[in-house]
PDB file of all heavy atoms in Angstrom:
ATOM      1  N   GLY I   4     -55.006  12.758 -30.538  1.00 92.00           N
ATOM      2  CA  GLY I   4     -56.067  13.767 -30.759  1.00 92.00           C
ATOM      3  C   GLY I   4     -57.282  13.160 -31.385  1.00 92.00           C
ATOM      4  O   GLY I   4     -57.460  11.936 -31.395  1.00 92.00           O
ATOM      5  N   LEU I   5     -58.182  13.984 -31.808  1.00 88.00           N
ATOM      6  CA  LEU I   5     -59.506  13.631 -32.386  1.00 88.00           C
ATOM      7  C   LEU I   5     -59.353  12.687 -33.549  1.00 88.00           C
ATOM      8  O   LEU I   5     -60.162  11.824 -33.710  1.00 88.00           O
ATOM      9  CB  LEU I   5     -60.215  14.924 -32.722  1.00 88.00           C
ATOM     10  CG  LEU I   5     -61.834  14.832 -32.854  1.00 88.00           C
ATOM     11  CD1 LEU I   5     -62.441  14.143 -31.696  1.00 88.00           C
ATOM     12  CD2 LEU I   5     -62.350  16.191 -33.052  1.00 88.00           C
ATOM     13  N   PHE I   6     -58.455  12.975 -34.434  1.00 82.00           N
ATOM     14  CA  PHE I   6     -58.271  12.073 -35.592  1.00 82.00           C
ATOM     15  C   PHE I   6     -56.955  11.334 -35.456  1.00 82.00           C
ATOM     16  O   PHE I   6     -56.324  10.876 -36.404  1.00 82.00           O
ATOM     17  CB  PHE I   6     -58.244  12.864 -36.843  1.00 82.00           C
ATOM     18  CG  PHE I   6     -59.627  13.444 -37.232  1.00 82.00           C
ATOM     19  CD1 PHE I   6     -59.972  14.781 -36.900  1.00 82.00           C
ATOM     20  CD2 PHE I   6     -60.600  12.640 -37.760  1.00 82.00           C
ATOM     21  CE1 PHE I   6     -61.183  15.273 -37.117  1.00 82.00           C
ATOM     22  CE2 PHE I   6     -61.884  13.184 -38.009  1.00 82.00           C
ATOM     23  CZ  PHE I   6     -62.226  14.424 -37.734  1.00 82.00           C
ATOM     24  N   GLY I   7     -56.535  11.145 -34.185  1.00 76.00           N
ATOM     25  CA  GLY I   7     -55.223  10.554 -33.929  1.00 76.00           C
ATOM     26  C   GLY I   7     -55.252   9.062 -34.044  1.00 76.00           C
ATOM     27  O   GLY I   7     -56.312   8.401 -33.995  1.00 76.00           O
ATOM     28  N   ALA I   8     -54.117   8.512 -34.241  1.00 76.00           N
ATOM     29  CA  ALA I   8     -53.877   7.020 -34.273  1.00 76.00           C
ATOM     30  C   ALA I   8     -52.503   6.780 -33.803  1.00 76.00           C
ATOM     31  O   ALA I   8     -51.578   7.682 -33.729  1.00 76.00           O
ATOM     32  CB  ALA I   8     -54.222   6.513 -35.671  1.00 76.00           C
ATOM     33  N   LEU I   9     -52.057   5.537 -33.744  1.00 80.00           N
ATOM     34  CA  LEU I   9     -50.784   5.116 -33.432  1.00 80.00           C
ATOM     35  C   LEU I   9     -49.751   5.619 -34.417  1.00 80.00           C
ATOM     36  O   LEU I   9     -48.627   5.995 -34.049  1.00 80.00           O
ATOM     37  CB  LEU I   9     -50.592   3.588 -33.396  1.00 80.00           C
ATOM     38  CG  LEU I   9     -51.255   2.904 -32.240  1.00 80.00           C
ATOM     39  CD1 LEU I   9     -51.095   1.387 -32.342  1.00 80.00           C
ATOM     40  CD2 LEU I   9     -50.675   3.349 -30.888  1.00 80.00           C
ATOM     41  N   SER I  10     -50.171   5.847 -35.664  1.00 82.00           N
ATOM     42  CA  SER I  10     -49.234   6.277 -36.697  1.00 82.00           C
ATOM     43  C   SER I  10     -48.738   7.692 -36.436  1.00 82.00           C
ATOM     44  O   SER I  10     -47.665   8.105 -36.770  1.00 82.00           O
ATOM     45  CB  SER I  10     -49.912   6.258 -38.077  1.00 82.00           C
ATOM     46  OG  SER I  10     -51.012   7.149 -38.059  1.00 82.00           O
ATOM     47  N   ASN I  11     -49.478   8.486 -35.673  1.00 89.00           N
ATOM     48  CA  ASN I  11     -49.074   9.858 -35.350  1.00 89.00           C
ATOM     49  C   ASN I  11     -47.838   9.852 -34.470  1.00 89.00           C
ATOM     50  O   ASN I  11     -47.063  10.796 -34.481  1.00 89.00           O
ATOM     51  CB  ASN I  11     -50.272  10.580 -34.434  1.00 89.00           C
ATOM     52  CG  ASN I  11     -51.433  10.856 -35.339  1.00 89.00           C
ATOM     53  OD1 ASN I  11     -51.705  10.178 -36.261  1.00 89.00           O
ATOM     54  ND2 ASN I  11     -52.201  11.774 -34.885  1.00 89.00           N
ATOM     55  N   PHE I  12     -47.653   8.847 -33.718  1.00 94.00           N
ATOM     56  CA  PHE I  12     -46.529   8.766 -32.729  1.00 94.00           C
ATOM     57  C   PHE I  12     -45.407   7.733 -33.157  1.00 94.00           C
ATOM     58  O   PHE I  12     -44.585   7.492 -32.283  1.00 94.00           O
ATOM     59  CB  PHE I  12     -47.074   8.342 -31.364  1.00 94.00           C
ATOM     60  CG  PHE I  12     -47.952   9.413 -30.667  1.00 94.00           C
ATOM     61  CD1 PHE I  12     -49.260   9.097 -30.273  1.00 94.00           C
ATOM     62  CD2 PHE I  12     -47.458  10.672 -30.534  1.00 94.00           C
ATOM     63  CE1 PHE I  12     -50.077   9.989 -29.660  1.00 94.00           C
ATOM     64  CE2 PHE I  12     -48.348  11.631 -29.871  1.00 94.00           C
ATOM     65  CZ  PHE I  12     -49.591  11.306 -29.473  1.00 94.00           C
ATOM     66  N   SER I  13     -45.506   7.263 -34.323  1.00 93.00           N
ATOM     67  CA  SER I  13     -44.659   6.182 -34.703  1.00 93.00           C
ATOM     68  C   SER I  13     -43.081   6.533 -34.612  1.00 93.00           C
ATOM     69  O   SER I  13     -42.316   5.703 -33.922  1.00 93.00           O
ATOM     70  CB  SER I  13     -44.841   5.657 -36.140  1.00 93.00           C
ATOM     71  OG  SER I  13     -44.742   6.769 -37.035  1.00 93.00           O
ATOM     72  N   ASP I  14     -42.703   7.685 -34.997  1.00 95.00           N
ATOM     73  CA  ASP I  14     -41.354   8.126 -34.801  1.00 95.00           C
ATOM     74  C   ASP I  14     -40.919   8.299 -33.347  1.00 95.00           C
ATOM     75  O   ASP I  14     -39.836   7.964 -32.930  1.00 95.00           O
ATOM     76  CB  ASP I  14     -41.043   9.405 -35.599  1.00 95.00           C
ATOM     77  CG  ASP I  14     -41.058   9.137 -37.136  1.00 95.00           C
ATOM     78  OD1 ASP I  14     -40.123   8.477 -37.597  1.00 95.00           O
ATOM     79  OD2 ASP I  14     -41.944   9.659 -37.830  1.00 95.00           O
ATOM     80  N   LEU I  15     -41.860   8.875 -32.599  1.00 97.00           N
ATOM     81  CA  LEU I  15     -41.690   9.109 -31.176  1.00 97.00           C
ATOM     82  C   LEU I  15     -41.471   7.809 -30.482  1.00 97.00           C
ATOM     83  O   LEU I  15     -40.588   7.656 -29.628  1.00 97.00           O
ATOM     84  CB  LEU I  15     -42.882   9.957 -30.605  1.00 97.00           C
ATOM     85  CG  LEU I  15     -42.649  10.685 -29.304  1.00 97.00           C
ATOM     86  CD1 LEU I  15     -43.661  11.852 -29.208  1.00 97.00           C
ATOM     87  CD2 LEU I  15     -42.804   9.802 -28.169  1.00 97.00           C
ATOM     88  N   VAL I  16     -42.349   6.842 -30.685  1.00 97.00           N
ATOM     89  CA  VAL I  16     -42.294   5.579 -30.086  1.00 97.00           C
ATOM     90  C   VAL I  16     -40.993   4.865 -30.322  1.00 97.00           C
ATOM     91  O   VAL I  16     -40.296   4.385 -29.452  1.00 97.00           O
ATOM     92  CB  VAL I  16     -43.503   4.633 -30.495  1.00 97.00           C
ATOM     93  CG1 VAL I  16     -43.371   3.241 -29.999  1.00 97.00           C
ATOM     94  CG2 VAL I  16     -44.888   5.179 -30.035  1.00 97.00           C
ATOM     95  N   GLU I  17     -40.566   4.788 -31.633  1.00 96.00           N
ATOM     96  CA  GLU I  17     -39.363   4.192 -32.084  1.00 96.00           C
ATOM     97  C   GLU I  17     -38.161   4.799 -31.401  1.00 96.00           C
ATOM     98  O   GLU I  17     -37.226   4.110 -31.032  1.00 96.00           O
ATOM     99  CB  GLU I  17     -39.239   4.255 -33.569  1.00 96.00           C
ATOM    100  CG  GLU I  17     -38.216   3.332 -34.227  1.00 96.00           C
ATOM    101  CD  GLU I  17     -38.371   1.905 -33.742  1.00 96.00           C
ATOM    102  OE1 GLU I  17     -39.502   1.400 -33.525  1.00 96.00           O
ATOM    103  OE2 GLU I  17     -37.350   1.179 -33.717  1.00 96.00           O
ATOM    104  N   HIS I  18     -38.157   6.119 -31.188  1.00 97.00           N
ATOM    105  CA  HIS I  18     -36.981   6.796 -30.621  1.00 97.00           C
ATOM    106  C   HIS I  18     -36.919   6.497 -29.040  1.00 97.00           C
ATOM    107  O   HIS I  18     -35.851   6.260 -28.565  1.00 97.00           O
ATOM    108  CB  HIS I  18     -37.125   8.290 -30.897  1.00 97.00           C
ATOM    109  CG  HIS I  18     -35.950   9.127 -30.353  1.00 97.00           C
ATOM    110  ND1 HIS I  18     -34.848   9.325 -31.100  1.00 97.00           N
ATOM    111  CD2 HIS I  18     -35.751   9.749 -29.179  1.00 97.00           C
ATOM    112  CE1 HIS I  18     -33.999  10.019 -30.371  1.00 97.00           C
ATOM    113  NE2 HIS I  18     -34.504  10.295 -29.199  1.00 97.00           N
ATOM    114  N   PHE I  19     -38.102   6.683 -28.407  1.00 98.00           N
ATOM    115  CA  PHE I  19     -38.020   6.685 -26.982  1.00 98.00           C
ATOM    116  C   PHE I  19     -38.148   5.343 -26.291  1.00 98.00           C
ATOM    117  O   PHE I  19     -37.889   5.131 -25.097  1.00 98.00           O
ATOM    118  CB  PHE I  19     -39.148   7.691 -26.324  1.00 98.00           C
ATOM    119  CG  PHE I  19     -38.661   9.106 -26.547  1.00 98.00           C
ATOM    120  CD1 PHE I  19     -39.039   9.826 -27.534  1.00 98.00           C
ATOM    121  CD2 PHE I  19     -37.748   9.633 -25.597  1.00 98.00           C
ATOM    122  CE1 PHE I  19     -38.682  11.120 -27.729  1.00 98.00           C
ATOM    123  CE2 PHE I  19     -37.396  10.979 -25.724  1.00 98.00           C
ATOM    124  CZ  PHE I  19     -37.870  11.708 -26.784  1.00 98.00           C
ATOM    125  N   ARG I  20     -38.555   4.326 -27.097  1.00 96.00           N
ATOM    126  CA  ARG I  20     -38.666   2.965 -26.509  1.00 96.00           C
ATOM    127  C   ARG I  20     -37.328   2.387 -26.032  1.00 96.00           C
ATOM    128  O   ARG I  20     -37.245   1.473 -25.298  1.00 96.00           O
ATOM    129  CB  ARG I  20     -39.336   1.982 -27.563  1.00 96.00           C
ATOM    130  CG  ARG I  20     -38.423   1.695 -28.755  1.00 96.00           C
ATOM    131  CD  ARG I  20     -39.244   1.102 -29.947  1.00 96.00           C
ATOM    132  NE  ARG I  20     -39.582  -0.245 -29.752  1.00 96.00           N
ATOM    133  CZ  ARG I  20     -38.864  -1.289 -30.195  1.00 96.00           C
ATOM    134  NH1 ARG I  20     -37.789  -1.100 -30.992  1.00 96.00           N
ATOM    135  NH2 ARG I  20     -39.217  -2.529 -29.940  1.00 96.00           N
ATOM    136  N   LYS I  21     -36.226   2.988 -26.538  1.00 96.00           N
ATOM    137  CA  LYS I  21     -34.900   2.614 -26.113  1.00 96.00           C
ATOM    138  C   LYS I  21     -34.550   3.065 -24.715  1.00 96.00           C
ATOM    139  O   LYS I  21     -33.703   2.540 -24.028  1.00 96.00           O
ATOM    140  CB  LYS I  21     -33.874   3.164 -27.151  1.00 96.00           C
ATOM    141  CG  LYS I  21     -34.050   2.648 -28.514  1.00 96.00           C
ATOM    142  CD  LYS I  21     -33.286   3.474 -29.555  1.00 96.00           C
ATOM    143  CE  LYS I  21     -33.699   3.075 -30.939  1.00 96.00           C
ATOM    144  NZ  LYS I  21     -33.633   4.254 -31.856  1.00 96.00           N
ATOM    145  N   THR I  22     -35.261   4.122 -24.254  1.00 97.00           N
ATOM    146  CA  THR I  22     -34.921   4.635 -22.856  1.00 97.00           C
ATOM    147  C   THR I  22     -36.138   4.716 -21.921  1.00 97.00           C
ATOM    148  O   THR I  22     -35.909   4.971 -20.701  1.00 97.00           O
ATOM    149  CB  THR I  22     -34.412   6.171 -23.096  1.00 97.00           C
ATOM    150  OG1 THR I  22     -35.378   6.905 -23.916  1.00 97.00           O
ATOM    151  CG2 THR I  22     -33.146   6.211 -23.784  1.00 97.00           C
ATOM    152  N   HIS I  23     -37.353   4.581 -22.481  1.00 98.00           N
ATOM    153  CA  HIS I  23     -38.531   4.737 -21.615  1.00 98.00           C
ATOM    154  C   HIS I  23     -39.520   3.549 -21.962  1.00 98.00           C
ATOM    155  O   HIS I  23     -39.413   2.907 -22.974  1.00 98.00           O
ATOM    156  CB  HIS I  23     -39.265   5.999 -21.999  1.00 98.00           C
ATOM    157  CG  HIS I  23     -38.510   7.254 -21.458  1.00 98.00           C
ATOM    158  ND1 HIS I  23     -37.346   7.724 -22.073  1.00 98.00           N
ATOM    159  CD2 HIS I  23     -38.759   8.143 -20.429  1.00 98.00           C
ATOM    160  CE1 HIS I  23     -36.933   8.764 -21.503  1.00 98.00           C
ATOM    161  NE2 HIS I  23     -37.778   9.027 -20.374  1.00 98.00           N
ATOM    162  N   LYS I  24     -40.441   3.385 -21.018  1.00 98.00           N
ATOM    163  CA  LYS I  24     -41.591   2.562 -21.261  1.00 98.00           C
ATOM    164  C   LYS I  24     -42.638   3.449 -21.974  1.00 98.00           C
ATOM    165  O   LYS I  24     -43.226   4.306 -21.342  1.00 98.00           O
ATOM    166  CB  LYS I  24     -42.139   1.948 -20.066  1.00 98.00           C
ATOM    167  CG  LYS I  24     -43.373   1.052 -20.225  1.00 98.00           C
ATOM    168  CD  LYS I  24     -43.878   0.468 -18.971  1.00 98.00           C
ATOM    169  CE  LYS I  24     -43.032  -0.638 -18.468  1.00 98.00           C
ATOM    170  NZ  LYS I  24     -43.442  -1.331 -17.338  1.00 98.00           N
ATOM    171  N   VAL I  25     -42.751   3.285 -23.286  1.00 98.00           N
ATOM    172  CA  VAL I  25     -43.716   4.180 -24.076  1.00 98.00           C
ATOM    173  C   VAL I  25     -45.047   3.493 -24.151  1.00 98.00           C
ATOM    174  O   VAL I  25     -45.179   2.400 -24.587  1.00 98.00           O
ATOM    175  CB  VAL I  25     -43.129   4.425 -25.529  1.00 98.00           C
ATOM    176  CG1 VAL I  25     -44.021   5.424 -26.221  1.00 98.00           C
ATOM    177  CG2 VAL I  25     -41.711   4.942 -25.399  1.00 98.00           C
ATOM    178  N   ILE I  26     -46.061   4.322 -23.761  1.00 98.00           N
ATOM    179  CA  ILE I  26     -47.460   3.729 -23.669  1.00 98.00           C
ATOM    180  C   ILE I  26     -48.298   4.654 -24.459  1.00 98.00           C
ATOM    181  O   ILE I  26     -48.310   5.895 -24.342  1.00 98.00           O
ATOM    182  CB  ILE I  26     -47.913   3.724 -22.148  1.00 98.00           C
ATOM    183  CG1 ILE I  26     -46.921   2.991 -21.250  1.00 98.00           C
ATOM    184  CG2 ILE I  26     -49.247   3.181 -22.076  1.00 98.00           C
ATOM    185  CD1 ILE I  26     -46.565   3.658 -20.003  1.00 98.00           C
ATOM    186  N   VAL I  27     -49.206   4.027 -25.298  1.00 97.00           N
ATOM    187  CA  VAL I  27     -50.189   4.756 -25.999  1.00 97.00           C
ATOM    188  C   VAL I  27     -51.566   4.127 -25.803  1.00 97.00           C
ATOM    189  O   VAL I  27     -51.851   3.095 -26.502  1.00 97.00           O
ATOM    190  CB  VAL I  27     -49.901   4.843 -27.496  1.00 97.00           C
ATOM    191  CG1 VAL I  27     -50.830   5.843 -28.203  1.00 97.00           C
ATOM    192  CG2 VAL I  27     -48.408   5.266 -27.830  1.00 97.00           C
ATOM    193  N   PRO I  28     -52.385   4.639 -24.925  1.00 97.00           N
ATOM    194  CA  PRO I  28     -53.729   4.022 -24.769  1.00 97.00           C
ATOM    195  C   PRO I  28     -54.547   4.546 -25.953  1.00 97.00           C
ATOM    196  O   PRO I  28     -54.436   5.689 -26.410  1.00 97.00           O
ATOM    197  CB  PRO I  28     -54.284   4.673 -23.489  1.00 97.00           C
ATOM    198  CG  PRO I  28     -53.493   5.865 -23.337  1.00 97.00           C
ATOM    199  CD  PRO I  28     -52.161   5.658 -24.007  1.00 97.00           C
ATOM    200  N   ILE I  29     -55.366   3.671 -26.510  1.00 96.00           N
ATOM    201  CA  ILE I  29     -56.276   4.104 -27.570  1.00 96.00           C
ATOM    202  C   ILE I  29     -57.529   4.682 -26.925  1.00 96.00           C
ATOM    203  O   ILE I  29     -58.309   3.996 -26.231  1.00 96.00           O
ATOM    204  CB  ILE I  29     -56.745   2.888 -28.535  1.00 96.00           C
ATOM    205  CG1 ILE I  29     -55.447   2.193 -29.005  1.00 96.00           C
ATOM    206  CG2 ILE I  29     -57.654   3.328 -29.601  1.00 96.00           C
ATOM    207  CD1 ILE I  29     -54.530   3.024 -29.811  1.00 96.00           C
ATOM    208  N   LEU I  30     -57.690   6.032 -27.110  1.00 96.00           N
ATOM    209  CA  LEU I  30     -58.844   6.721 -26.501  1.00 96.00           C
ATOM    210  C   LEU I  30     -60.137   6.222 -27.158  1.00 96.00           C
ATOM    211  O   LEU I  30     -60.227   6.156 -28.342  1.00 96.00           O
ATOM    212  CB  LEU I  30     -58.641   8.203 -26.570  1.00 96.00           C
ATOM    213  CG  LEU I  30     -57.377   8.792 -25.919  1.00 96.00           C
ATOM    214  CD1 LEU I  30     -57.358  10.302 -26.044  1.00 96.00           C
ATOM    215  CD2 LEU I  30     -57.361   8.413 -24.421  1.00 96.00           C
ATOM    216  N   PRO I  31     -61.158   6.021 -26.306  1.00 95.00           N
ATOM    217  CA  PRO I  31     -62.450   5.554 -26.893  1.00 95.00           C
ATOM    218  C   PRO I  31     -63.324   6.681 -27.404  1.00 95.00           C
ATOM    219  O   PRO I  31     -64.382   7.047 -26.910  1.00 95.00           O
ATOM    220  CB  PRO I  31     -63.144   4.819 -25.637  1.00 95.00           C
ATOM    221  CG  PRO I  31     -62.669   5.707 -24.456  1.00 95.00           C
ATOM    222  CD  PRO I  31     -61.215   6.078 -24.800  1.00 95.00           C
ATOM    223  N   LEU I  32     -62.843   7.376 -28.469  1.00 94.00           N
ATOM    224  CA  LEU I  32     -63.493   8.464 -29.042  1.00 94.00           C
ATOM    225  C   LEU I  32     -64.842   8.200 -29.498  1.00 94.00           C
ATOM    226  O   LEU I  32     -65.837   9.076 -29.412  1.00 94.00           O
ATOM    227  CB  LEU I  32     -62.718   9.049 -30.191  1.00 94.00           C
ATOM    228  CG  LEU I  32     -61.228   9.414 -29.981  1.00 94.00           C
ATOM    229  CD1 LEU I  32     -60.580   9.871 -31.263  1.00 94.00           C
ATOM    230  CD2 LEU I  32     -61.090  10.456 -28.835  1.00 94.00           C
ATOM    231  N   PHE I  33     -65.075   6.966 -29.908  1.00 93.00           N
ATOM    232  CA  PHE I  33     -66.456   6.602 -30.479  1.00 93.00           C
ATOM    233  C   PHE I  33     -67.167   5.547 -29.707  1.00 93.00           C
ATOM    234  O   PHE I  33     -68.233   5.100 -30.113  1.00 93.00           O
ATOM    235  CB  PHE I  33     -66.175   6.142 -31.966  1.00 93.00           C
ATOM    236  CG  PHE I  33     -65.352   7.040 -32.785  1.00 93.00           C
ATOM    237  CD1 PHE I  33     -64.215   6.687 -33.344  1.00 93.00           C
ATOM    238  CD2 PHE I  33     -65.880   8.345 -33.060  1.00 93.00           C
ATOM    239  CE1 PHE I  33     -63.455   7.594 -34.099  1.00 93.00           C
ATOM    240  CE2 PHE I  33     -65.082   9.262 -33.701  1.00 93.00           C
ATOM    241  CZ  PHE I  33     -63.879   8.911 -34.252  1.00 93.00           C
ATOM    242  N   GLU I  34     -66.630   5.123 -28.562  1.00 93.00           N
ATOM    243  CA  GLU I  34     -67.104   4.002 -27.792  1.00 93.00           C
ATOM    244  C   GLU I  34     -67.945   4.389 -26.607  1.00 93.00           C
ATOM    245  O   GLU I  34     -68.814   3.718 -26.070  1.00 93.00           O
ATOM    246  CB  GLU I  34     -66.078   3.028 -27.387  1.00 93.00           C
ATOM    247  CG  GLU I  34     -65.504   2.119 -28.438  1.00 93.00           C
ATOM    248  CD  GLU I  34     -64.454   2.929 -29.340  1.00 93.00           C
ATOM    249  OE1 GLU I  34     -63.693   3.642 -28.830  1.00 93.00           O
ATOM    250  OE2 GLU I  34     -64.563   2.749 -30.576  1.00 93.00           O
ATOM    251  N   LEU I  35     -67.689   5.604 -26.089  1.00 93.00           N
ATOM    252  CA  LEU I  35     -68.385   6.045 -24.915  1.00 93.00           C
ATOM    253  C   LEU I  35     -69.813   6.494 -25.293  1.00 93.00           C
ATOM    254  O   LEU I  35     -70.117   6.890 -26.408  1.00 93.00           O
ATOM    255  CB  LEU I  35     -67.687   7.322 -24.245  1.00 93.00           C
ATOM    256  CG  LEU I  35     -66.251   7.061 -23.772  1.00 93.00           C
ATOM    257  CD1 LEU I  35     -65.615   8.389 -23.249  1.00 93.00           C
ATOM    258  CD2 LEU I  35     -66.213   6.110 -22.606  1.00 93.00           C
ATOM    259  N   ASP I  36     -70.744   6.383 -24.318  1.00 93.00           N
ATOM    260  CA  ASP I  36     -72.107   6.868 -24.588  1.00 93.00           C
ATOM    261  C   ASP I  36     -72.006   8.342 -24.808  1.00 93.00           C
ATOM    262  O   ASP I  36     -71.100   9.039 -24.327  1.00 93.00           O
ATOM    263  CB  ASP I  36     -73.021   6.515 -23.503  1.00 93.00           C
ATOM    264  CG  ASP I  36     -72.665   7.090 -22.084  1.00 93.00           C
ATOM    265  OD1 ASP I  36     -72.908   8.381 -21.967  1.00 93.00           O
ATOM    266  OD2 ASP I  36     -72.283   6.368 -21.266  1.00 93.00           O
ATOM    267  N   ILE I  37     -73.035   8.997 -25.405  1.00 92.00           N
ATOM    268  CA  ILE I  37     -72.971  10.392 -25.783  1.00 92.00           C
ATOM    269  C   ILE I  37     -72.774  11.304 -24.555  1.00 92.00           C
ATOM    270  O   ILE I  37     -72.179  12.353 -24.682  1.00 92.00           O
ATOM    271  CB  ILE I  37     -74.179  10.780 -26.695  1.00 92.00           C
ATOM    272  CG1 ILE I  37     -73.962  12.075 -27.408  1.00 92.00           C
ATOM    273  CG2 ILE I  37     -75.444  10.813 -25.870  1.00 92.00           C
ATOM    274  CD1 ILE I  37     -72.899  12.040 -28.488  1.00 92.00           C
ATOM    275  N   PHE I  38     -73.365  10.889 -23.431  1.00 92.00           N
ATOM    276  CA  PHE I  38     -73.289  11.734 -22.201  1.00 92.00           C
ATOM    277  C   PHE I  38     -71.798  11.846 -21.744  1.00 92.00           C
ATOM    278  O   PHE I  38     -71.415  12.838 -21.221  1.00 92.00           O
ATOM    279  CB  PHE I  38     -74.120  11.118 -21.145  1.00 92.00           C
ATOM    280  CG  PHE I  38     -74.164  11.929 -19.780  1.00 92.00           C
ATOM    281  CD1 PHE I  38     -74.775  13.107 -19.751  1.00 92.00           C
ATOM    282  CD2 PHE I  38     -73.402  11.451 -18.766  1.00 92.00           C
ATOM    283  CE1 PHE I  38     -74.770  13.900 -18.626  1.00 92.00           C
ATOM    284  CE2 PHE I  38     -73.407  12.222 -17.619  1.00 92.00           C
ATOM    285  CZ  PHE I  38     -74.058  13.364 -17.468  1.00 92.00           C
ATOM    286  N   HIS I  39     -71.016  10.777 -21.910  1.00 94.00           N
ATOM    287  CA  HIS I  39     -69.618  10.835 -21.502  1.00 94.00           C
ATOM    288  C   HIS I  39     -68.628  11.049 -22.634  1.00 94.00           C
ATOM    289  O   HIS I  39     -67.465  10.963 -22.465  1.00 94.00           O
ATOM    290  CB  HIS I  39     -69.227   9.407 -20.817  1.00 94.00           C
ATOM    291  CG  HIS I  39     -69.981   9.217 -19.547  1.00 94.00           C
ATOM    292  ND1 HIS I  39     -71.144   8.452 -19.428  1.00 94.00           N
ATOM    293  CD2 HIS I  39     -69.726   9.722 -18.340  1.00 94.00           C
ATOM    294  CE1 HIS I  39     -71.580   8.476 -18.126  1.00 94.00           C
ATOM    295  NE2 HIS I  39     -70.755   9.175 -17.480  1.00 94.00           N
ATOM    296  N   THR I  40     -69.169  11.353 -23.837  1.00 96.00           N
ATOM    297  CA  THR I  40     -68.286  11.728 -24.955  1.00 96.00           C
ATOM    298  C   THR I  40     -67.791  13.165 -24.799  1.00 96.00           C
ATOM    299  O   THR I  40     -68.315  14.086 -25.535  1.00 96.00           O
ATOM    300  CB  THR I  40     -68.974  11.445 -26.302  1.00 96.00           C
ATOM    301  OG1 THR I  40     -69.347  10.058 -26.290  1.00 96.00           O
ATOM    302  CG2 THR I  40     -68.079  11.651 -27.505  1.00 96.00           C
ATOM    303  N   THR I  41     -66.982  13.375 -23.882  1.00 96.00           N
ATOM    304  CA  THR I  41     -66.505  14.724 -23.535  1.00 96.00           C
ATOM    305  C   THR I  41     -64.937  14.606 -23.173  1.00 96.00           C
ATOM    306  O   THR I  41     -64.473  13.567 -23.007  1.00 96.00           O
ATOM    307  CB  THR I  41     -67.178  15.280 -22.233  1.00 96.00           C
ATOM    308  OG1 THR I  41     -66.977  14.365 -21.174  1.00 96.00           O
ATOM    309  CG2 THR I  41     -68.759  15.364 -22.466  1.00 96.00           C
ATOM    310  N   VAL I  42     -64.300  15.785 -23.029  1.00 97.00           N
ATOM    311  CA  VAL I  42     -63.005  15.848 -22.554  1.00 97.00           C
ATOM    312  C   VAL I  42     -62.846  15.201 -21.205  1.00 97.00           C
ATOM    313  O   VAL I  42     -61.927  14.408 -20.970  1.00 97.00           O
ATOM    314  CB  VAL I  42     -62.412  17.300 -22.577  1.00 97.00           C
ATOM    315  CG1 VAL I  42     -61.010  17.370 -22.047  1.00 97.00           C
ATOM    316  CG2 VAL I  42     -62.514  17.900 -23.980  1.00 97.00           C
ATOM    317  N   HIS I  43     -63.794  15.460 -20.342  1.00 97.00           N
ATOM    318  CA  HIS I  43     -63.704  14.958 -18.977  1.00 97.00           C
ATOM    319  C   HIS I  43     -64.017  13.507 -18.970  1.00 97.00           C
ATOM    320  O   HIS I  43     -63.400  12.707 -18.167  1.00 97.00           O
ATOM    321  CB  HIS I  43     -64.719  15.661 -18.124  1.00 97.00           C
ATOM    322  CG  HIS I  43     -64.279  17.108 -17.755  1.00 97.00           C
ATOM    323  ND1 HIS I  43     -63.654  17.384 -16.549  1.00 97.00           N
ATOM    324  CD2 HIS I  43     -64.309  18.242 -18.463  1.00 97.00           C
ATOM    325  CE1 HIS I  43     -63.327  18.681 -16.518  1.00 97.00           C
ATOM    326  NE2 HIS I  43     -63.678  19.190 -17.693  1.00 97.00           N
ATOM    327  N   GLY I  44     -64.816  13.103 -19.841  1.00 97.00           N
ATOM    328  CA  GLY I  44     -65.109  11.573 -20.050  1.00 97.00           C
ATOM    329  C   GLY I  44     -63.881  10.786 -20.450  1.00 97.00           C
ATOM    330  O   GLY I  44     -63.587   9.710 -19.912  1.00 97.00           O
ATOM    331  N   LEU I  45     -63.104  11.321 -21.416  1.00 98.00           N
ATOM    332  CA  LEU I  45     -61.879  10.794 -21.712  1.00 98.00           C
ATOM    333  C   LEU I  45     -60.878  10.805 -20.635  1.00 98.00           C
ATOM    334  O   LEU I  45     -60.037   9.867 -20.482  1.00 98.00           O
ATOM    335  CB  LEU I  45     -61.399  11.473 -23.028  1.00 98.00           C
ATOM    336  CG  LEU I  45     -62.164  11.305 -24.280  1.00 98.00           C
ATOM    337  CD1 LEU I  45     -61.630  12.172 -25.436  1.00 98.00           C
ATOM    338  CD2 LEU I  45     -62.225   9.812 -24.759  1.00 98.00           C
TER     339      LEU I  45
END
């Protein structure tokens, strides 16, 4: 989410990495230009 980080998912990653390929892309909340800083841009 908006103030999210990998730490938000640490327990989930640790649990499901045994059975799934767990992927967490770091969303560019602050890197997109202001025109694309939207839900649709993400």
Side-chain angles (χ1 to χ4, degrees):
L5 196 53
F6 292 97
L9 286 177
S10 59
N11 293 26
F12 292 125
S13 56
D14 290 292
L15 198 157
V16 172
E17 192 54 29
H18 183 87
F19 284 96
R20 66 197 285 264
K21 299 161 190 151
T22 54
H23 290 74
K24 180 178 284 185
V25 185
I26 306 136
V27 190
I29 306 301
L30 299 179
L32 304 176
F33 309 118
E34 286 78 43
L35 298 175
D36 64 71
I37 196 68
F38 181 73
H39 292 100
T40 302
T41 62
V42 176
H43 287 263
L45 292 174

